[in-house]
Amino acid sequence: ELKVEQNPLFLSMQEGKNYTIYCNYSTTSDRLYWYRQDPGKSLESLFVLLSNGAVKQEGRLMASLDTKARLSTLHITAAVHDLSATYFCAGGPYNTDKLIFGTGTRLQVFP
Amino acid sequence: NAGVMQNPRHLVRRRGQEARLRCSPMKGHSHVYWYRQLPEEGLKFMVYLQKENIIDESGMPKERFSAEFPKEGPSILRIQQVVRGDSAAYFCASSPRTTEGEQFFGPGTRLTVL
């Protein structure tokens, strides 16, 4: 069964710096999602990646997908405090509709 | 267009009682998914339903848990004889079943079992 692992689990970074969150998955997945969750809140959809080499950008966040390496990355550029949240990646196993979530990366951006 | 709605937002039950969690999908969405999130963990898939049908219940515990999505009305996740280990946030998501398969999440129901 598909397994999804993220690293790091915790990330404390200074405003203005760049960093990357990694999402590895164990078997072939035909789609990969990134979500954001603020404390006590629901999940907000950030990116949907459907094909090898897919790259999407929104503001200071950029997500990419390498299906051959079974790896997706979420790159943060010039972090700001408002980006502090927990970020989840989730894979969709073939021929199913369910999502398998990673454990999440808790990001804290400080001045 | 209203988003996915869940109620109640917070639910407190004593051990042995029943919990009923409701989910109304986004307008035009006919696919509903339930996930459970334990503190400091990711979401775990429980069940996927379409109107009047359970499509995938591979994540549902074998006992005490059931789900339905009737022709009329919201989807309901029912937990009988709750135990402390059932304390968690339960999220519902809905999808229009496009090729992207993107799921939109509700605000969640936080269940506390005393």
Side-chain angles (χ1 to χ4, degrees), chain A residues 31 33 35 37 40-43 45 48 50 56 88 96-103 106, chain B residues 33 35 37 40-43 45 48 56 58 91 97 99-103 105-107 110:
Chain A
R31 55 200 194 285
Y33 306 84
Y35 287 89
Q37 185 180 37
K41 305 292 186 182
S42 186
L43 279 77
S45 178
V48 179
L50 300 176
K56 291 192 175 180
F88 291 98
T96 74
D97 287 71
K98 64 185 177 186
L99 296 182
I100 306 298
F101 280 81
T103 48
R106 185 184 293 180
Chain B
Y33 312 81
Y35 293 84
Q37 185 179 35
E40 307 300 324
E41 293 188 11
L43 279 73
F45 169 78
Y48 160 40
D56 182 351
S58 58
F91 290 96
R97 200 60 168 90
T99 53
E100 290 191 348
E102 188 175 8
Q103 297 179 14
F105 283 80
R110 279 151 183 86

Side-chain angles (χ1 to χ4, degrees), chain A residues 9-49:
Chain A
L9 297 183
F10 298 97
L11 179 54
S12 182
M13 58 190 297
Q14 194 171 20
E15 281 189 331
K17 298 292 187 182
N18 305 331
Y19 209 85
T20 300
I21 299 171
Y22 297 89
C23 176
N24 293 274
Y25 52 97
S26 59
T27 65
T28 306
S29 172
D30 60 357
R31 55 200 194 285
L32 197 292
Y33 306 84
W34 284 95
Y35 287 89
R36 167 182 171 149
Q37 185 180 37
D38 291 291
K41 305 292 186 182
S42 186
L43 279 77
E44 174 190 354
S45 178
L46 295 175
F47 300 107
V48 179
L49 303 168

